[in-house]
Amino acid sequence: MSQVGCLIDTLKRQLRAQGKTYADVAQWLGLSEASVKRLFAEKHFTLARLECICDQLNIEFAELVQAMQAEELRPQQLTQAQEQSIVDDRELFLVAVCVVNGYSFDEIHHQYQLSETECTRQLLKLERLKLIELLPGNRIRRRVAANFRWRSGGPIQQFFQTYIANEFFRSRFDGESEQLLVLNGLLSRAGNDEWQQIMQRLAKEFHALCERESSLPLHKRFGTTSVLAVRQWKYALFQDYTRR
């Protein structure tokens, strides 16, 4: 991503951290909310507008740049060996998934059958893996980038595909909090690339929403998994009918 794109993403995180919305930005800049959404989508701001937003957030423009640089230094992925060490220890795996999803120490301890001692032990392992920093009072600070993701085809993704995929799809997806969309059509290579970019934007929106709601108490949130996938594929059922 370009530095301009990274700077705008950092600005969006600053807005969310202070509970500000596009409507607030629109009022500050004297624009419509639709225009502000377009500015963020296109990542096209003048320096004057960026400084205006920073003034409203009570931060210096230089601080925004520093926050961007600090975020760029955070790892977006663990190494293959680090992921494997997490997968090999089931309790460590549980705690790792929790902290990546923003759980606090008390929330992990109360929701799962882990003693405070065991929970602390697993968190210290994650600290040695540089996934988190364990602060006084058992506060957890993530040390990974906001767009952190498990390695594509790595140990953790393989675990989910092997052990969880069948369980995940064992549903009619007709509940209040469920929905399954299966889309099928013909796309060129360029069209496929464009669709993948849209999926990446959806993934960013999902993570932004999770971050925005992270201040809500745990009893008001529930585990939500969304699967976005695309591949060039034919049903095996029809393979025998394919003309060679």
Side-chain angles (χ1 to χ4, degrees):
M1 186 186 298
S2 69
Q3 283 199 312
V4 172
C6 291
L7 187 66
I8 300 306
D9 284 346
T10 303
L11 179 62
K12 289 168 69 175
R13 286 192 290 273
Q14 293 290 333
L15 288 167
R16 288 195 295 269
Q18 296 193 29
K20 302 302 181 182
T21 65
Y22 287 158
D24 294 313
V25 177
Q27 184 177 3
W28 300 337
L29 299 180
L31 300 171
S32 67
E33 188 173 348
S35 296
V36 169
K37 289 181 179 179
R38 186 165 57 253
L39 288 175
F40 275 100
E42 296 175 352
K43 301 183 187 300
H44 185 69
F45 280 83
T46 64
L47 184 58
R49 284 173 172 169
L50 285 175
E51 289 181 332
C52 175
I53 297 172
C54 286
D55 287 343
Q56 294 294 333
L57 294 175
N58 197 29
I59 61 173
E60 298 289 337
F61 182 75
E63 292 180 90
L64 183 67
V65 175
Q66 289 172 355
M68 177 197 72
Q69 292 171 337
E71 182 66 23
E72 288 180 330
L73 292 175
R74 294 185 176 191
Q76 298 179 7
Q77 289 184 331
L78 299 181
T79 66
Q80 184 89 2
Q82 287 173 322
E83 282 200 6
Q84 190 62 56
S85 66
I86 291 175
V87 168
D88 291 341
D89 184 333
R90 197 52 50 88
E91 289 185 358
L92 181 62
F93 193 5
L94 167 64
V95 176
V97 171
C98 285
V99 298
V100 166
N101 288 324
Y103 277 56
S104 69
F105 182 93
D106 288 338
E107 288 168 341
I108 298 171
H109 171 57
H110 290 136
Q111 184 155 336
Y112 298 101
Q113 296 183 36
L114 292 175
S115 67
E116 291 189 10
T117 300
E118 182 59 27
C119 194
T120 300
R121 190 166 72 89
Q122 300 300 346
L123 288 171
L124 288 172
K125 289 182 183 178
L126 294 178
E127 186 174 52
R128 287 194 291 272
L129 291 171
K130 304 187 184 304
L131 187 69
I132 66 162
E133 181 179 358
L134 190 58
L135 303 173
N138 286 326
R139 290 180 296 115
I140 301 169
R141 177 188 293 161
R142 296 197 310 178
R143 297 182 62 183
V144 293
N147 61 343
F148 172 82
R149 65 182 65 185
W150 303 117
R151 298 180 68 85
S152 178
I156 291 180
Q157 188 182 89
Q158 288 181 23
F159 177 89
F160 278 114
Q161 289 175 332
T162 301
Y163 296 100
I164 297 178
N166 288 336
E167 180 182 341
F168 179 83
F169 287 106
R170 198 180 301 133
S171 171
R172 294 176 59 181
F173 291 94
D174 56 1
E176 183 178 335
S177 61
E178 297 180 321
Q179 185 174 148
L180 176 65
L181 295 176
V182 179
L183 309 175
N184 185 261
L186 300 176
L187 290 175
S188 65
R189 180 56 60 87
N192 184 283
D193 289 343
E194 182 177 347
W195 176 242
Q196 291 190 49
Q197 292 172 15
I198 293 171
M199 290 171 62
Q200 291 294 336
R201 291 200 294 272
L202 287 174
K204 285 185 179 180
E205 291 295 327
F206 179 82
H207 290 303
L209 184 57
C210 290
E211 187 176 340
R212 204 156 58 238
E213 295 202 328
S214 61
S215 59
L216 294 175
L218 190 61
H219 71 271
K220 290 189 176 181
R221 294 176 286 154
F222 53 88
T224 301
T225 298
S226 184
V227 177
L228 302 175
V230 62
R231 60 178 295 201
Q232 193 172 343
W233 179 63
K234 292 181 180 179
Y235 294 104
L237 178 65
F238 303 142
Q239 195 66 38
D240 291 342
Y241 294 91
T242 302
R243 190 183 297 278
R244 303 297 180 187

